[in-house]
Amino acid sequence: MILKLFFLHQNEVINIEQSPTLYLFDGKLSSVSYVDNIPYLVTTSQIQDGKSTTQETTEYKDVGLKLNVLPRINQDVMMLDFDLTVENLLTTSNEQKPRTRKIFLKQHFKIKKNEVILLSGLSKTESNEILSKVPILGDIPILSFLFRYKDELKSTNVITVMVEILNTNQTK
């Protein structure tokens, strides 16, 4: 499966943005995140002695992909508590209070040695309209359609996670 994905990536059919490897240890939480730190404005109002005061502060929120895995490892079997959160920014960066969309997957898996678990299907499709025009001529009411061009860019991102037990105790 890995070879097929890298073959598609090399032939520019797909784009693999991240390919992290996590080493799991029994009972120890492992995490990986691929996030942007987004600022947003927080407004606080207080009324004291009949006077109202307003204070604005900037706070930050991590937006992107976060994966937490808690394994319980036996001889040939691994039990995984798997938490995956994908959060996307819905508003432009110019807004002071950004909106986000969150997808959350929490699942328990049992995987044996030489088995592979492939999680896929968490996807996001974005559509952006781009307007190009000739300055001044593109703003003339009746003739503007002759000097304007609208294009729509669509992109689809699919998150795929592959889990496989590798035996690191074998000697070569």
Side-chain angles (χ1 to χ4, degrees), residues 136-153:
I136 301 173
L137 297 176
D139 295 325
I140 298 173
I142 296 175
L143 300 175
S144 65
F145 73 94
L146 294 171
F147 302 100
R148 288 183 176 194
Y149 175 73
K150 285 186 181 179
D151 194 14
E152 186 175 14
L153 296 175

Side-chain angles (χ1 to χ4, degrees), residues 41-129:
L41 188 65
V42 176
T43 305
T44 311
S45 297
Q46 285 185 331
I47 299 175
Q48 188 175 20
D49 297 330
K51 294 182 181 179
S52 176
T53 58
T54 303
Q55 182 180 7
E56 292 182 345
T57 58
T58 301
E59 293 186 8
Y60 294 87
K61 179 179 180 77
D62 286 338
V63 175
L65 180 134
K66 299 172 197 164
L67 172 64
N68 295 316
V69 181
L70 180 64
R72 287 182 301 285
I73 303 170
N74 294 322
Q75 188 67 23
D76 291 330
V77 176
M78 183 184 302
M79 308 294 268
L80 298 173
D81 289 329
F82 192 87
D83 293 329
L84 174 67
T85 303
V86 181
E87 195 166 7
N88 299 310
L89 193 62
L90 295 177
T91 56
T92 63
S93 59
N94 297 337
E95 295 187 29
Q96 295 177 344
K97 295 186 180 181
R99 293 183 311 123
T100 60
R101 174 184 299 131
K102 185 185 289 190
I103 301 170
F104 182 75
L105 171 71
K106 185 172 184 161
Q107 185 69 45
H108 179 77
F109 295 101
K110 178 181 178 182
I111 181 171
K112 295 178 184 175
K113 205 181 278 186
N114 299 324
E115 288 184 341
V116 175
I117 293 177
L118 189 65
L119 301 172
S120 189
L122 294 175
S123 64
K124 172 183 77 166
T125 301
E126 289 183 347
S127 179
N128 295 317
E129 189 175 279

